[in-house]
Amino acid sequence: MKIVVLDGYGLNPGDLSWKGMEALGELVVYDRTSPSKVMERSANAEVLITNKTVITAEHMSALPQLKYIGVLATGYNVVDIDEARHRGIVVTNIPAYSTASVAQMVFAHVLNITQRVGYYANENAKGRWTNSIDFCYWDTNLIELEGKKMGIVGLGNIGQATARIAQAFGMEILVFTSKEQSALPEGMKKVTLDELFAQSDVVSLHCPLTPDTKEMVNAARLRTMKPSAILINTGRGPLVNEQDLADALNEGRIAAAGLDVLSVEPSVFGNPLFNARNCFITPHIAWATKEARTRLMDIAVNNLKSYQEGNVINNVAR
């Protein structure tokens, strides 16, 4: 069985091992594959492994030997699922591997905004504390989280993990979810989306990207938020209208934003959020702890091994 990894670098830049997958067939790993190279590199492969390299209906029609596509992520929009289903090609994803890491990143952003540890560490490295006439100094708004309201949009695995961390800080939890109030963990209150944005001190986005949720954070919704509110997005970039958010930040209509995702990645020149007031952007790394990537690799190997054994798991093209 020939196995081709089209873009392995994101998962494994060199600190993990492909040995588990090597044991399952003839393995070829490419760090990255441009669209023009997909067909050439996929020739004669029964298995394709992809992270962000798009696999289209045209690719599948030209690859009759292709039987399995493994996506190295939870989201699988890089594969034409309808075409795969039509052709009987198994498509697997990697569920729930990064829950703890993404929830941790939510609060990395929250704490950066409320305490500004990096800012003060940099100031002190430049000698500011040494030259201070007082025993301490601060010139940002330092915020205590206890008693504040945390609004969580979407209560899947990551939303629930984020809520538990927020509760540990003594925050009140508001959630927008399809679940009934009676099914929610203790201490979580179900509210409408409008209520969540209007009442929350921190809003964290954890819902899937659908036509209904695209640009759910827009000028109208931002106007309902508290001027002291913080927006966190570790979910999907297109959940946010980026120009509307930049305008709200620059005009002081909300206090700050912490973002790990953007609508186009890698980011494009001229994105208004990079110069927006109190906007802190990380390069889509919430998932990328070594622990999470190790789990991802292990699940990817197990998905393929199970397929070979006739026990298909995590198939999103059923």
Side-chain angles (χ1 to χ4, degrees), residues 110-132 134-143 278 280:
V110 171
L111 294 173
N112 172 61
I113 290 167
T114 57
Q115 302 290 157
R116 300 293 296 276
V117 172
Y119 166 74
Y120 288 108
N122 288 335
E123 288 292 289
N124 289 345
K126 294 185 289 187
R128 184 171 174 185
W129 198 11
T130 304
N131 296 317
S132 174
D134 299 306
F135 79 96
C136 69
Y137 70 91
W138 67 94
D139 55 7
T140 65
N141 189 25
L142 303 176
I143 301 165
N278 289 341
F280 304 91

Side-chain angles (χ1 to χ4, degrees), residues 240-254:
V240 176
N241 181 302
E242 292 171 342
Q243 185 63 61
D244 288 354
L245 176 57
D247 291 344
L249 290 165
N250 290 331
E251 294 166 14
R253 287 188 277 114
I254 69 169

Side-chain angles (χ1 to χ4, degrees), residues 77-95:
N77 59 305
V78 296
V79 177
D80 187 324
I81 295 297
D82 290 337
E83 184 68 17
R85 187 181 297 116
H86 172 70
R87 293 181 176 276
I89 297 171
V90 171
V91 181
T92 63
N93 74 333
I94 314 290

Side-chain angles (χ1 to χ4, degrees), residues 23-232:
L24 301 178
E26 176 193 347
L27 180 67
V28 180
V29 179
Y30 297 100
D31 282 349
R32 303 168 186 85
T33 297
S34 65
S36 64
K37 292 285 189 180
V38 171
M39 284 304 308
E40 173 188 332
R41 292 180 173 182
S42 301
N44 301 317
E46 182 177 329
V47 174
L48 290 181
I49 306 295
T50 181
N51 190 333
K52 295 296 182 286
T53 302
V54 174
I55 300 176
T56 67
E58 289 74 20
H59 294 141
M60 293 181 222
S61 68
L63 297 169
Q65 76 289 343
L66 182 61
K67 303 299 181 187
Y68 178 102
I69 300 170
V71 181
L72 299 174
T74 303
Y76 45 87
N77 59 305
V78 296
V79 177
D80 187 324
I81 295 297
D82 290 337
E83 184 68 17
R85 187 181 297 116
H86 172 70
R87 293 181 176 276
I89 297 171
V90 171
V91 181
T92 63
N93 74 333
I94 314 290
Y97 73 93
S98 63
T99 298
S101 292
V102 177
Q104 179 176 302
M105 177 61 91
V106 171
F107 274 87
H109 274 289
V110 171
L111 294 173
N112 172 61
I113 290 167
T114 57
Q115 302 290 157
R116 300 293 296 276
V117 172
Y119 166 74
Y120 288 108
N122 288 335
E123 288 292 289
N124 289 345
K126 294 185 289 187
R128 184 171 174 185
W129 198 11
T130 304
N131 296 317
S132 174
I133 61 174
D134 299 306
F135 79 96
C136 69
Y137 70 91
W138 67 94
D139 55 7
T140 65
N141 189 25
L142 303 176
I143 301 165
E144 185 175 274
L145 293 176
E146 185 168 4
K148 300 293 192 299
K149 290 184 173 66
M150 180 83 173
I152 297 176
V153 182
L155 202 63
N157 291 327
I158 297 173
Q160 291 184 55
T162 299
R164 290 192 294 270
I165 297 172
Q167 287 177 314
F169 276 103
M171 302 182 76
E172 299 178 34
I173 310 300
L174 306 179
V175 297
F176 177 72
T177 176
S178 60
K179 297 179 174 69
E180 296 297 326
Q181 177 66 56
S182 60
L184 299 184
E186 185 177 354
M188 299 185 193
K189 180 181 178 182
K190 179 175 179 173
V191 295
T192 67
L193 195 60
D194 288 340
E195 289 171 333
L196 186 146
F197 274 84
Q199 296 175 23
S200 297
D201 298 292
V202 180
V203 173
S204 191
L205 305 180
H206 300 287
C207 56
L209 177 63
T210 68
D212 289 335
T213 62
K214 184 178 181 182
E215 296 191 358
M216 66 187 303
V217 179
N218 51 38
R221 186 147 279 136
L222 288 161
R223 279 194 290 271
T224 70
M225 297 178 72
K226 299 177 181 180
S228 58
I230 298 166
L231 176 71
I232 306 294

Side-chain angles (χ1 to χ4, degrees), residues 232-287:
I232 306 294
N233 187 13
T234 57
R236 295 289 183 266
L239 297 173
V240 176
N241 181 302
E242 292 171 342
Q243 185 63 61
D244 288 354
L245 176 57
D247 291 344
L249 290 165
N250 290 331
E251 294 166 14
R253 287 188 277 114
I254 69 169
L259 312 173
D260 189 54
V261 289
L262 293 175
S263 60
V264 177
E265 297 173 348
S267 61
V268 295
F269 180 79
N271 186 309
L273 290 170
F274 280 103
N275 293 315
R277 168 185 170 273
N278 289 341
C279 189
F280 304 91
I281 303 172
T282 47
H284 202 148
I285 55 171
W287 69 281

